[in-house]
Amino acid sequence: MVINLLMIIAATIFADAGNLAFPYLTYKFVNGRMITNFVASGNLILPIVVLQFLGLLFLVVLVRFLAKIFRAQLPTLLLALLLVLGVNVAVIAVPMLRKVSAWLPVTYLNAVDTVSGKLGMLYQNPQLNFRAGIIVLAGSIVIILVLTVIVEYTYQNSKA
């Protein structure tokens, strides 16, 4: 998200702000059929930022949870990378996982393709959309926060 912001600022300085009415190709499932449509790119900015923020928050909460479990930096880093990158690659490589990819929070880290519907079109999964991304990411954040509190509480009680 920060990199995107820096790129926008640099492009604005050197080449002017551009036009938010530029058409962007979107995909949508309607009655089981794929419909393509062009929308103004300015209409996609807010949903993309919201999904990116939730995705970033999910990553922070996940790494914090893993850090509470392992209490060491290297295993935490390796498992976090394995979970995030491994699940994304597994969904691409294993076609059976595409059916359940709508329920995996790391699927929604690619916010642009999720909001535009391109991810749903590529995986042939109509459930991959902005609304499902909000629900899955928010639910995952809450679940992992609860698990983190439980692990912290258990660790504090075992120390005492």
Side-chain angles (χ1 to χ4, degrees), residues 31-150:
N31 296 328
R33 293 183 48 181
M34 175 73 63
I35 306 293
T36 58
N37 190 19
F38 285 99
V39 298
S41 57
N43 295 343
L44 299 177
I45 291 175
L46 184 61
I48 289 170
V49 168
V50 168
L51 263 188
Q52 281 186 337
F53 176 74
L54 283 174
L56 182 64
L57 190 59
F58 168 75
L59 290 175
V60 168
V61 169
L62 177 67
V63 170
R64 184 170 186 260
F65 173 66
L66 294 174
K68 292 291 179 184
I69 291 175
F70 292 110
R71 308 249 178 234
Q73 292 176 353
L74 189 59
T76 299
L77 175 67
L78 291 176
L79 191 58
L81 283 173
L82 182 67
L83 282 174
V84 173
L85 296 176
V87 172
N88 272 332
V89 170
V91 168
I92 293 168
V94 181
M96 292 186 327
L97 286 177
R98 293 181 184 171
K99 295 176 183 175
V100 296
S101 64
W103 300 106
L104 302 172
V106 294
T107 305
Y108 298 101
L109 296 179
N110 188 351
V112 175
D113 285 348
T114 301
V115 171
S116 70
K118 184 177 180 183
L119 206 58
M121 187 263 312
L122 288 175
Y123 293 170
Q124 290 298 307
N125 190 344
Q127 295 172 338
L128 284 171
N129 56 36
F130 173 69
R131 185 177 299 126
I134 295 289
I135 293 168
V136 169
L137 285 171
S140 299
I141 289 168
V142 169
I143 290 169
I144 293 175
L145 277 174
V146 168
L147 290 174
T148 303
V149 169
I150 291 171

